[in-house]
Amino acid sequence: MAFTKNEEQLVIMSDKQLTRVPVESCGQYSTCSECLGSGDPHCGWCVLHNRCTRKERCKRSHEPRRFASEMKQCVRLTVHPNNISVSQYNVTLILEAYNVPELSAGVNCTFEDLSEMDGQVVGNQIRCKSPAEKEVPRIITENGDHHIVQLQLKSKETGMTFASTNFVFYNCSVHNSCLSCVESPYQCHWCKYRHVCTHDPRTCSFQEGRVKMPEECPQLLQTEKILIPVDVVKPITLKAKNLPQPQSGQKGYECLLNIQGNEQRVPALRFNSSSVQCQNTSYSYEGMEIDSLPVELTVVWNGDFSIDNPALSKVHLYKCGAKRPSCGLCLKANPDFECGWCAGGSKCTLKQHCFPPENPWLELSGTYGKCANPRITQITPVTGPREGGTKVTIRGENLGLEFWEIENDVKVAEVKCTPLIEEYIPAEQIVCEIGDAKPSQHAGFVDVCVGNCRPNFMARSSLVYYFVTLALSRLEPSLGPVSGGTQVTITGTNLSAGSSVKVMFGGQPCIFDRRTASEIFCNTTAAPSLGKVKVTVQVDKAKIPQELVFEYVEDPKIIKMEPEWSIVSGNTPISVWGTNLDIIRNPRIRARLAGKEHINNCTVLNSTEMTCQAPALAVNSNYQNDLIERPEEFGFILDNVQALLVLNKTNFTYYPDPVFEPFGPSGILELKPGTPIILKGKNLMPPVAGGNMKLKYSMYIGEKPCTVTVSDVQLLCESPNLTGRHKVMARVGGMEFSPGMVYITPDSPLSLPAIVSIAAAGGLLIIFIVAVLIAYKRKSRESDLTLKRLQMQMDNLESRVALECKEAFAELQTDIHELTSDLDGAGIPFLDYRTYTMRVLFPGIEDHPVLRDLEVPGYRQERVEKGLKLFAQLINNKVFLLSFIRTLESQRSFSMRDRGNVASLIMTVLQSKLEYATDVLKQLLSDLIDKNLESKNHPKLLLRRTESVAEKMLTNWFTFLLYKFLKECAGEPLFSLFCAIKQQMEKGPIDSITGEARYSLSEDKLIRQQIDYKTLVLNCVNPDNVNSPMIPVKILNCDTITQVKEKILDAIFKNLPCSHRPKAADMDLEWRQANGSRMILQDEDSTTKIENDWKRLNVIAHYQVLDGSIVALVSKQVTAYNAANNSTVSRTSASRYENMIKYTGSPDSLRSRTPMITPDLETGVKVWHLVKNHEHGDQKEGDRGSKMVSEIYLTRLLATKGTLQKFVDDLFETIFSTAHRGSALPLAIKYMFDFLDEQADKHNIHDPHVRHTWKSNCLPLRFWVNVIKNPQFVFDIHKNSITDACLSVVAQTFMDSCSTSEHRLGKDSPSNKLLYAKDIPSYKNWVERYYSDIAKMPAISDQDMNAYLAEQSRMHMNEFNTMSSLSEIYSYVGKYSEEILTALDQDDQAGKQKLGCKVEQVIALLSIDS
């Protein structure tokens, strides 16, 4: 290891490579405490830049407190006050900042996204104002009484936030009770007589009505339980304190009771400040299922002013008769209820409700407090052993209210049964234990006496209790693992008798599970040793004499599993080998992940083998289906064998579930009979190392299975002999998926007339052929040979057509996946704002004057600056600017190019004043619309062509305001489309002379020949580090050397913007052969072949470079050719070829062109690469055979279109959507569309097609088409002619999608129109929905739009040199000065402002003669 010279990186050397790693990674820490707490000595906190970095990378770090290297130096911020009410605005806040540097540049105070304002710095204090009224956050009751925001300090020097603290806005008014108000941690006061909570006590009506302490709040006090019987008139008296006396005009007190959802209001009387009474009223509730109902009680005054009830006191309504049908249950009721048993009516009532009065009314404390007529309703169990010990449960009515009443008077079948006090339920249940029965006692009733055994207090059961004899017969299974857990079944007779069962296996208990009359089920526990043990069963006090034997054997062991993998949804077969597997009755397999467990079943085959279904893996909802998982625990549940619950030796792996693609958007796949069904997807074959186990797929077409062939990315199913529509279902493991329906169209039989016609035509054809053969037979042998040659050519043509169609189909199926995976992870080289705007405003001009300082001789500098400043004032005068533009446009010599130039120059001047620029633009557009309609032009032609300054200004306006949207949203799919086109084009041959390619969207740029080529992979030496691994580069053996160099540069510098890469023309390609020799490969050298005045550029195959060869890019030594070959190559030819290459690859070529191939003037030799330009008339007769029927190759357009479809759809969907991946619709679009709708309303234009067309001409055709055709306006890339041609097709499709007119297409229509004919209706729906969604959005106020425009102006204020821009605009003043002055003289407003005089002053100051 060693440091680099600057000691910022560490060089580490291993056996195979040299690696450089940074000595620190400070950037990973986002806060000062994280940064300085990391312990990294290289890292410190750059205070005003708010980032963790090395000291030398922090600007002005030597100044005090600008760089913190210790934790105690971190910035701290306090604020006073640290909370205010939401009804307080513009409050002065004092912030004290510690450990901050000198802040002379100023700071801004920011309340998150609420507001931002300047802070006043005084020493280490900063004074800020709290937000204005409209910026304060709304606080509603559901969100609590406060809202915490981050109060941040932002340095004006760096634009970064360097300190923050919490600041609280609170809202007292959300509290609607006194206690919640005054117990709030904020400065809240309760106004007792207004019943409101406020931060300002001065707003309370009366001095004595202000409450600040909880003890002073009006509130109800804790009382004993309030019991109210239903339908009894009774008052409710409540204790309270601080009850307010209603003032003049205020209503009195009321009680509110919410009974089963119904509110009952009762007048109340305030005795004094500490007592209130709800007046005499009766209450009731529905149903007899509830014996006592708690009811919420609220005391209010003045209508809805509630008194706090901190103890949550409730009123309990009750019914004596509810759920008390017997005397015993009635007397058991709460004594406070005062319920008793009315014997005459046999019901539970209050005493006053027992009619007639002479009826006995029993109460618990009364003289007659004992219930007669006890009754037994149920006994459990009804059988038991003669030895006794059985606990019998007796249920019934009036079974005594005290235990002593039944303690000695219970018999079962004439055998004494001793009651158990702990299980006695008064009046309802007796549990007693039976004693030993005599041999003569077999059965009998249950008898109970309550208190005494007089007839009225005796009860006998209707059921009979039996004494039975229990016996055992056998045990199954008779052996199990020594760890226990085996479920054992013991068979016998009368086994359900008695109340308790105890089973022992030797000295170990068997855990009782359940039993029937003939079976007892229990689970064995672990035994101390192997061997046989006696099994004993005891029911209550009876020990069953029959002896059974159980054997404990060695626990099962797991030796091997295969396979040791499954998929996440499980249910794939696993074969398991081990020992003693057959002793397990119910073997199961388990897997546990993240605390969740899944279990599946196994089937035992013999003692050494079983098969299991893999358990699914319990993955969480955000599981990514491309991850490989290993469970935390994996094992087997084999009875109670703990050692196998978790297998430590296994490395069981779960692979992602297969993912299938549906059959397109419609979900229907149309096929001919016998055509295989292809189901695409991923993860179809888990990447398992070794082993022959694979996932077993089954596919069904309807109910019929089909034979499945599996590859990595698709299932191929040989469809059964079916026709019609059928559902397709694929199953694997525990998952199944239906990609949709398949529609198999039957072969249509021909009708009888068609057969007759074909037969007749065939007969005539045969007769004609016979006649022709007879005629040809008379000809010479030379004619026969010509016929054979033609026949061979036709056969060759037919085979080539078939091969081409097959290749096109295969490419369409495979290229999409490859292209998608190749594009992942590439960075997007966006141009900076200045370069982007310059390329749109002034295309083709790299070094425009507006980017440079104004060059003026020193003696004129002062006058020129003064004149331009005066001219700037004029430009910022709306009257002058509008007059200036109208005057220029009225001049015949003011060309279209001049209009665009003036519009762009004006926008560069007004970049810092976009509000004014927008106002001018709206006026110009309004004038343009008026002019268009006055001239009787069709309204749809508005904004169609750039014929005015206004239209170009509109383009530039969108250019300025949509840059952020391009970077955040639309740029990604546009760049992906460009990369996809480039990669797809380069996968096949591209003619470097004509620009034609095998893969294209443009018919004009399609190679209409069969080019034989082969893909090679060259290993290129890394130019940055020759010792690092070589870079594999895919090329074609038909590529020219320049094309190979460009592909190598793309591979080496794929993450580097185009402008930072070396040029292919500056590099030579060196082939390093195995024997150590090196050769420079070039497009033309002494070995270049010339045939019939055609010179073919050298390709890789020409040099016989092999797959896997090593190459290197080296700096060009002399010229484009080896010095040794200079004498053999025409200098004119070389320069002409280089110019041609430069032309075809120009990034500024805006249309697809085929360059003319002009012969070398000295030698007459013409250069070609893959196809010759046959316009020279030297095409041979035989060439037609190789060219074939050129239209056959149009299928390649379709294959290319299918491959790129996803990227085109993504781009269009992003542009035509109002929800842009989390970003809002740019304000500029909504604002301009609303302006156009206003203009349409103003001119009574209600035709939706006209409005649609105006919007399409305004934004998609004026801005987006320009960007799509010229991605180099947005990105730092190189665009060649074939890519340009394809982008033009996409742009044309985009334009057609925005049109409202119907395009009728036929076989003679252009291919680029036919190519997207099926897609354009869908795209049109997107556009209509987009316009509709924008129209439904709330309008943007001028205030909000001006704030947005001001922010954009501030962000890009200094991008252009305003003086240089003004100087360029002034050149038009000088050219048309008389016309401009005349127009100003005729304008009243201009005359009032004396604008003509000011223009003359400008002319005088800027005149060269002055």
Side-chain angles (χ1 to χ4, degrees):
M1 290 191 299
F3 285 103
T4 54
K5 286 184 179 181
N6 57 12
E7 295 188 351
E8 291 187 0
Q9 290 182 315
L10 197 62
V11 180
I12 302 172
M13 182 170 62
S14 63
D15 293 341
K16 296 183 178 179
Q17 66 180 14
L18 205 63
T19 308
R20 287 192 297 183
V21 295
V23 296
E24 45 73 22
S25 53
C26 303
Q28 65 180 306
Y29 305 115
S30 57
T31 66
C32 180
S33 57
E34 285 180 9
C35 177
L36 300 181
S38 68
D40 192 329
H42 298 91
C43 299
W45 189 252
C46 191
V47 174
L48 291 189
H49 290 80
N50 200 48
R51 61 190 174 100
C52 188
T53 182
R54 296 170 70 100
K55 185 169 185 177
E56 57 269 22
R57 293 180 186 165
C58 180
K59 291 182 180 178
R60 298 168 64 185
S61 59
H62 60 281
E63 297 181 16
R65 295 183 294 279
R66 279 186 170 262
F67 186 80
S69 54
E70 297 179 20
M71 189 79 77
K72 63 183 181 181
Q73 296 174 341
C74 287
V75 175
R76 288 185 298 109
L77 185 64
T78 61
V79 57
H80 182 80
N82 61 1
N83 59 68
I84 59 172
S85 170
V86 291
S87 56
Q88 293 176 279
Y89 318 118
N90 298 315
V91 176
T92 300
L93 308 177
I94 298 176
L95 290 81
E96 294 202 19
Y98 303 93
N99 298 328
V100 294
E102 178 263 333
L103 299 172
S104 59
V107 293
N108 281 350
C109 300
T110 304
F111 290 84
E112 286 185 4
D113 55 353
L114 301 175
S115 68
E116 183 172 339
M117 73 288 294
D118 288 338
Q120 181 183 355
V121 180
V122 182
N124 72 330
Q125 290 188 347
I126 298 102
R127 296 177 184 269
C128 300
K129 292 285 188 182
S130 69
E133 181 175 357
K134 67 177 183 178
E135 297 165 336
V136 171
R138 285 185 64 245
I139 299 176
I140 55 178
T141 310
E142 290 79 3
N143 297 334
D145 65 348
H146 68 280
H147 180 71
I148 301 174
V149 300
Q150 282 290 305
L151 172 53
Q152 302 168 331
L153 290 183
K154 185 185 291 185
S155 168
K156 289 187 177 180
E157 176 187 329
T158 64
M160 301 294 292
T161 297
F162 65 89
S164 65
T165 187
N166 286 343
F167 190 81
V168 177
F169 292 94
Y170 62 88
N171 186 1
C172 293
S173 64
V174 303
H175 295 286
N176 52 20
S177 75
C178 178
L179 286 173
S180 69
C181 174
V182 299
E183 288 174 352
S184 167
Y186 308 106
Q187 296 296 316
C188 293
H189 300 262
W190 182 255
C191 295
K192 186 167 23 175
Y193 294 104
R194 289 181 54 215
H195 202 76
V196 294
C197 187
T198 178
H199 80 283
D200 186 0
R202 292 172 297 179
T203 59
C204 291
S205 303
F206 304 98
Q207 177 72 30
E208 64 277 9
R210 300 175 189 170
V211 178
K212 181 55 185 168
M213 303 295 290
E215 295 78 14
E216 300 171 0
C217 281
Q219 56 192 286
L220 301 179
L221 300 179
Q222 178 81 43
T223 60
E224 295 180 0
K225 197 171 184 179
I226 305 171
L227 298 174
I228 304 292
V230 299
D231 299 327
V232 174
V233 176
K234 196 172 182 180
I236 302 172
T237 303
L238 302 167
K239 294 180 181 179
K241 66 178 180 179
N242 305 321
L243 295 180
Q245 175 68 43
Q247 303 298 303
S248 175
Q250 291 183 322
K251 298 178 184 177
Y253 281 78
E254 292 176 290
C255 296
L256 267 61
L257 286 85
N258 191 326
I259 305 173
Q260 293 180 327
N262 299 317
E263 185 177 84
Q264 185 170 345
R265 278 183 176 257
V266 179
L269 180 63
R270 175 186 179 271
F271 294 136
N272 49 47
S273 65
S274 59
S275 180
V276 63
Q277 185 183 73
C278 310
Q279 298 299 290
N280 276 329
T281 310
S282 65
Y283 309 91
S284 65
Y285 61 88
E286 296 294 329
M288 297 296 287
E289 299 82 19
I290 305 171
D291 59 346
S292 176
L293 179 70
V295 173
E296 291 185 4
L297 171 66
T298 307
V299 176
V300 300
W301 66 286
N302 194 30
D304 58 355
F305 289 6
S306 61
I307 302 297
D308 285 335
N309 184 4
L312 300 177
S313 298
K314 292 187 177 182
V315 172
H316 293 264
L317 305 181
Y318 67 91
K319 295 180 180 179
C320 286
K323 297 175 68 175
R324 299 184 184 95
S326 67
C327 173
L329 292 175
C330 180
L331 300 191
K332 271 178 63 178
N334 186 340
D336 293 335
F337 285 179
E338 299 179 348
C339 295
W341 184 255
C342 186
S346 295
K347 61 181 179 180
C348 190
T349 67
L350 295 170
K351 187 170 185 178
Q352 60 264 39
H353 293 158
C354 185
F355 298 110
E358 58 270 16
N359 279 334
W361 183 76
L362 302 182
E363 59 179 326
L364 188 62
S365 59
T367 310
Y368 304 100
K370 182 186 289 187
C371 295
N373 304 314
R375 189 164 69 94
I376 297 173
T377 58
Q378 180 186 358
I379 58 171
T380 308
V382 293
T383 60
R386 192 177 302 278
E387 291 81 356
T390 304
K391 291 181 180 179
V392 178
T393 301
I394 306 165
R395 293 193 62 82
E397 296 177 358
N398 302 334
L399 300 178
L401 295 177
E402 300 287 345
F403 181 72
W404 63 265
E405 295 181 285
I406 50 89
E407 186 175 9
N408 299 308
D409 294 310
V410 180
K411 288 184 179 179
V412 176
E414 296 301 326
V415 177
K416 182 174 175 58
C417 194
T418 305
L420 305 174
I421 189 169
E422 63 271 12
E423 296 187 57
Y424 174 60
I425 301 176
E428 298 179 64
Q429 174 180 295
I430 300 170
V431 177
C432 64
E433 185 175 314
I434 299 179
D436 190 7
K438 297 177 182 178
S440 60
Q441 293 174 312
H442 299 286
F445 298 101
V446 176
D447 294 302
V448 176
C449 291
V450 180
N452 58 64
C453 287
R454 286 182 294 171
N456 281 351
F457 297 98
M458 291 177 60
R460 170 168 281 189
S461 67
S462 59
L463 294 173
V464 176
Y465 183 88
Y466 296 90
F467 293 109
V468 295
T469 303
L470 288 75
L472 306 178
S473 57
R474 61 192 177 90
L475 175 75
E476 186 183 350
S478 59
L479 74 167
V482 70
S483 293
T486 306
Q487 187 176 73
V488 176
T489 304
I490 302 170
T491 6
T493 56
N494 294 326
L495 298 183
S496 61
S499 57
S500 65
V501 179
K502 182 180 179 182
V503 183
M504 297 294 290
F505 278 45
Q508 308 304 123
C510 188
I511 309 301
F512 175 76
D513 182 16
R514 65 189 189 281
R515 61 177 172 156
T516 65
S518 59
E519 291 176 320
I520 295 175
F521 301 92
C522 67
N523 295 306
T524 64
T525 54
S529 60
L530 303 176
K532 295 182 179 180
V533 295
K534 291 182 180 179
V535 178
T536 60
V537 179
Q538 180 176 339
V539 176
D540 297 338
K541 290 183 179 180
K543 292 185 178 179
I544 306 176
Q546 184 82 32
E547 287 192 358
L548 303 173
V549 176
F550 182 83
E551 184 179 4
Y552 283 105
V553 299
E554 193 174 342
D555 286 345
K557 290 184 173 60
I558 301 298
I559 298 172
K560 185 175 72 167
M561 283 190 303
E562 196 175 285
E564 286 194 282
W565 60 267
S566 181
I567 56 177
V568 167
S569 58
N571 284 283
T572 59
I574 300 173
S575 297
V576 183
W577 290 270
T579 59
N580 286 353
L581 298 178
D582 57 341
I583 67 173
I584 306 300
R585 302 282 294 274
N586 183 24
R588 291 176 294 167
I589 188 170
R590 65 184 287 269
R592 184 181 182 89
L593 178 68
K596 295 181 181 178
E597 182 173 7
H598 270 224
I599 297 173
N600 217 334
N601 296 321
C602 300
T603 303
V604 176
L605 304 178
N606 51 54
S607 64
T608 60
E609 188 176 355
M610 65 180 177
T611 59
C612 300
Q613 296 295 313
L617 201 61
V619 294
N620 54 29
S621 57
N622 56 3
Y623 167 72
Q624 298 179 6
N625 61 4
D626 287 332
L627 298 178
I628 295 174
E629 294 282 0
R630 285 192 171 84
E632 299 159 0
E633 295 180 6
F634 187 88
F636 294 86
I637 302 173
L638 304 181
D639 289 351
N640 198 30
V641 181
Q642 299 297 314
L644 299 179
L645 279 175
V646 180
L647 293 180
N648 295 323
K649 294 182 180 179
T650 186
N651 198 18
F652 201 90
T653 304
Y654 280 89
Y655 292 98
D657 280 342
V659 179
F660 300 101
E661 298 177 7
F663 290 148
S666 65
I668 298 176
L669 179 67
E670 295 188 9
L671 295 175
K672 293 289 185 184
T675 305
I677 298 171
I678 297 175
L679 184 56
K680 292 190 172 181
K682 63 178 181 177
N683 307 332
L684 303 187
M685 294 178 67
V688 183
N692 297 319
M693 299 295 292
K694 295 182 179 178
L695 287 178
K696 293 182 180 179
Y697 289 88
S698 55
M699 278 185 69
Y700 295 85
I701 314 301
E703 298 296 324
K704 286 197 173 185
C706 65
T707 306
V708 179
T709 304
V710 186
S711 70
D712 289 338
V713 294
Q714 66 182 23
L715 300 182
L716 188 142
C717 160
E718 300 292 341
S719 60
N721 188 20
L722 293 171
T723 57
R725 183 172 297 194
H726 303 278
K727 184 178 182 180
V728 178
M729 182 67 69
R731 296 190 181 117
V732 58
M735 63 173 292
E736 63 180 24
F737 174 78
S738 174
M741 310 285 286
V742 63
Y743 180 59
I744 305 174
T745 55
D747 293 326
S748 305
L750 294 173
S751 62
L752 182 62
I755 295 173
V756 172
S757 302
I758 292 171
L764 292 173
L765 182 61
I766 292 171
I767 295 171
F768 175 73
I769 291 173
V770 170
V772 170
L773 290 174
I774 293 172
Y776 267 99
K777 194 175 180 180
R778 298 172 185 173
K779 292 189 177 182
S780 63
R781 185 176 178 181
E782 183 181 349
S783 298
D784 292 337
L785 292 173
T786 302
L787 181 62
K788 287 181 180 180
R789 187 169 66 252
L790 287 172
Q791 185 63 46
M792 289 175 64
Q793 289 181 356
M794 288 299 292
D795 291 343
N796 190 31
L797 172 63
E798 184 178 341
S799 64
R800 287 196 181 186
V801 168
L803 178 62
E804 180 63 30
C805 291
K806 185 177 179 181
E807 285 181 359
F809 176 76
E811 288 163 0
L812 181 59
Q813 297 297 321
T814 59
D815 285 358
I816 297 174
H817 176 72
E818 293 178 14
L819 201 56
T820 308
S821 60
D822 287 348
L823 288 178
D824 288 345
I828 302 178
F830 282 104
L831 292 171
D832 60 82
Y833 180 83
R834 178 186 295 180
T835 309
Y836 151 76
T837 50
M838 288 302 296
R839 289 194 177 182
V840 179
L841 269 60
F842 306 103
I845 304 175
E846 292 296 329
D847 188 24
H848 196 278
V850 300
L851 299 177
R852 304 192 302 267
D853 290 338
L854 184 63
E855 297 177 359
V856 183
Y859 67 91
R860 294 187 60 235
Q861 186 170 356
E862 186 178 346
R863 290 180 62 84
V864 169
E865 287 183 0
K866 185 177 179 181
L868 289 178
K869 286 179 181 177
L870 184 57
F871 187 47
Q873 294 175 9
L874 289 172
I875 291 292
N876 287 310
N877 184 300
K878 186 176 177 182
V879 175
F880 170 79
L881 186 55
L882 292 174
S883 176
F884 174 63
I885 292 171
R886 291 164 183 158
T887 304
L888 293 182
E889 287 186 326
S890 65
Q891 308 306 312
R892 285 194 169 187
S893 60
F894 190 62
S895 65
M896 300 300 293
R897 182 166 185 163
D898 289 336
R899 292 166 199 257
N901 192 39
V902 167
S904 295
L905 290 169
I906 289 173
M907 289 303 286
T908 60
V909 171
L910 300 183
Q911 165 73 79
S912 59
K913 296 184 179 180
L914 284 176
E915 306 104 302
Y916 171 57
T918 305
D919 188 32
V920 171
L921 174 61
K922 286 170 63 178
Q923 184 61 53
L924 290 173
L925 288 174
S926 178
D927 293 348
L928 186 65
I929 293 170
D930 294 342
K931 182 179 177 183
N932 178 276
L933 297 176
E934 287 171 5
S935 59
K936 304 299 183 184
N937 288 335
H938 195 286
K940 287 188 178 183
L941 296 178
L942 179 70
L943 305 175
R944 179 65 59 87
R945 295 179 292 273
T946 306
E947 295 180 344
S948 66
V949 172
E951 288 164 302
K952 179 63 176 174
M953 279 183 71
L954 179 60
T955 303
N956 298 340
W957 188 76
F958 276 126
T959 301
F960 285 176
L961 298 182
L962 295 189
Y963 177 70
K964 182 173 183 286
F965 179 67
L966 274 171
K967 285 197 73 170
E968 292 179 356
C969 297
E972 181 183 340
L974 176 61
F975 185 70
S976 295
L977 174 63
F978 169 77
C979 292
I981 291 173
K982 186 174 185 294
Q983 288 192 26
Q984 185 64 11
M985 302 307 106
E986 290 180 351
K987 286 182 69 174
I990 301 176
D991 193 299
S992 66
I993 305 296
T994 65
E996 296 175 358
R998 173 189 175 89
Y999 299 105
S1000 174
L1001 290 176
S1002 169
E1003 184 180 355
D1004 296 336
K1005 285 292 182 182
L1006 183 70
I1007 294 181
R1008 301 199 185 190
Q1009 290 188 23
Q1010 181 69 28
I1011 305 295
D1012 293 328
Y1013 67 95
K1014 181 180 174 185
T1015 302
L1016 305 178
V1017 177
L1018 302 184
N1019 293 315
C1020 183
V1021 176
N1022 191 328
D1024 290 338
N1025 187 353
V1026 294
N1027 294 320
S1028 64
M1030 285 186 281
I1031 300 168
V1033 183
K1034 280 186 181 181
I1035 58 113
L1036 308 178
N1037 65 347
C1038 63
D1039 284 343
T1040 65
I1041 307 306
T1042 298
Q1043 288 176 331
V1044 173
K1045 289 192 287 185
E1046 288 173 346
K1047 288 183 179 180
I1048 290 174
L1049 288 171
D1050 283 342
I1052 294 174
F1053 303 105
K1054 63 182 177 182
N1055 292 322
L1056 203 63
C1058 181
S1059 61
H1060 294 81
R1061 301 181 185 179
K1063 301 291 186 290
D1066 299 333
M1067 309 296 285
D1068 270 334
L1069 182 65
E1070 183 180 83
W1071 177 22
R1072 299 182 178 178
Q1073 297 169 326
N1075 58 10
S1077 61
R1078 301 186 179 190
M1079 177 186 290
I1080 298 293
L1081 310 186
Q1082 297 178 331
D1083 288 329
E1084 292 185 59
D1085 59 16
S1086 58
T1087 64
T1088 305
K1089 295 180 181 179
I1090 301 177
E1091 293 181 4
N1092 300 328
D1093 296 336
W1094 283 95
K1095 179 194 291 186
R1096 182 172 187 181
L1097 297 177
N1098 295 340
V1099 295
I1100 286 294
H1102 170 78
Y1103 290 105
Q1104 298 181 351
V1105 176
L1106 303 176
D1107 191 20
S1109 295
I1110 298 174
V1111 297
L1113 285 181
V1114 296
S1115 298
K1116 194 173 283 292
Q1117 300 300 317
V1118 183
T1119 65
Y1121 301 93
N1122 283 348
N1125 298 329
N1126 279 348
S1127 59
T1128 62
V1129 181
S1130 162
R1131 179 71 56 174
T1132 307
S1133 175
S1135 61
R1136 176 180 49 76
Y1137 171 67
E1138 287 175 347
N1139 289 337
M1140 190 186 325
I1141 294 298
K1142 184 177 179 182
Y1143 168 75
T1144 58
S1146 170
D1148 297 319
S1149 55
L1150 301 179
R1151 295 193 307 271
S1152 178
R1153 311 181 183 91
T1154 302
M1156 292 296 295
I1157 301 177
T1158 53
D1160 191 310
L1161 297 178
E1162 296 179 6
T1163 63
V1165 174
K1166 300 177 286 293
V1167 181
W1168 71 291
H1169 174 202
L1170 298 176
V1171 293
K1172 297 176 181 176
N1173 191 319
H1174 293 293
E1175 294 174 359
H1176 297 286
D1178 55 355
Q1179 178 183 351
K1180 294 182 180 179
E1181 187 68 29
D1183 282 352
R1184 181 66 185 171
S1186 63
K1187 181 110 176 168
M1188 287 176 37
V1189 182
S1190 63
E1191 279 67 18
I1192 288 298
Y1193 291 106
L1194 292 180
T1195 55
R1196 289 179 181 167
L1197 298 179
L1198 200 58
T1200 306
K1201 181 248 185 184
T1203 308
L1204 300 175
Q1205 184 72 51
K1206 171 186 177 295
F1207 302 97
V1208 175
D1209 286 351
D1210 282 354
L1211 176 62
F1212 285 17
E1213 188 174 5
T1214 302
I1215 293 175
F1216 295 135
S1217 172
T1218 54
H1220 305 94
R1221 306 175 188 179
S1223 298
L1225 178 80
L1227 295 183
I1229 297 176
K1230 169 66 177 171
Y1231 189 75
M1232 189 51 65
F1233 278 18
D1234 284 355
F1235 171 73
L1236 292 176
D1237 283 335
E1238 289 171 8
Q1239 290 295 311
D1241 292 339
K1242 175 183 172 183
H1243 294 92
N1244 293 320
I1245 297 175
H1246 302 294
D1247 184 350
H1249 294 296
V1250 173
R1251 292 179 178 232
H1252 182 105
T1253 304
W1254 280 11
K1255 294 172 183 176
S1256 296
N1257 294 346
C1258 160
L1259 175 65
L1261 273 62
R1262 185 149 300 286
F1263 176 76
W1264 286 119
V1265 167
N1266 195 26
V1267 169
I1268 293 172
K1269 291 177 70 174
N1270 301 286
Q1272 76 276 11
F1273 286 178
V1274 183
F1275 312 113
D1276 192 346
I1277 54 173
H1278 171 77
K1279 183 184 71 168
N1280 56 29
S1281 61
I1282 178 61
T1283 310
D1284 180 56
C1286 294
L1287 287 169
S1288 294
V1289 174
V1290 175
Q1292 181 61 53
T1293 304
F1294 186 88
M1295 287 190 278
D1296 293 340
S1297 304
C1298 296
S1299 171
T1300 57
S1301 58
E1302 293 295 329
H1303 298 279
R1304 296 197 173 276
L1305 301 175
K1307 63 181 180 179
D1308 297 324
S1309 301
S1311 62
N1312 64 330
K1313 298 268 188 184
L1314 293 170
L1315 200 56
Y1316 284 93
K1318 289 179 68 177
D1319 303 288
I1320 286 178
S1322 296
Y1323 294 155
K1324 285 189 173 184
N1325 290 336
W1326 292 3
V1327 177
E1328 289 175 3
R1329 184 194 64 204
Y1330 177 59
Y1331 290 171
S1332 173
D1333 289 349
I1334 293 175
K1336 293 174 184 176
M1337 294 170 71
I1340 300 168
S1341 66
D1342 289 335
Q1343 183 181 3
D1344 289 345
M1345 188 64 187
N1346 286 337
Y1348 167 70
L1349 293 170
E1351 175 64 14
Q1352 294 297 311
S1353 298
R1354 186 186 64 78
M1355 288 170 60
H1356 305 293
M1357 186 172 292
N1358 300 316
E1359 299 289 353
F1360 309 108
N1361 190 300
T1362 308
M1363 287 298 184
S1364 298
S1365 301
L1366 289 168
S1367 177
E1368 293 292 312
I1369 299 173
Y1370 175 75
S1371 64
Y1372 292 96
V1373 176
K1375 186 175 181 180
Y1376 301 108
S1377 57
E1378 292 184 10
E1379 293 85 348
I1380 292 169
L1381 289 169
T1382 302
L1384 291 173
D1385 290 341
Q1386 295 172 355
D1387 189 310
D1388 293 339
Q1389 283 187 306
K1392 291 177 182 177
Q1393 299 178 32
K1394 298 183 179 179
L1395 297 180
C1397 297
K1398 293 180 181 179
V1399 172
E1400 289 175 345
Q1401 290 178 26
V1402 172
I1403 295 173
L1405 287 167
L1406 296 180
S1407 171
I1408 296 177
D1409 299 332
S1410 62

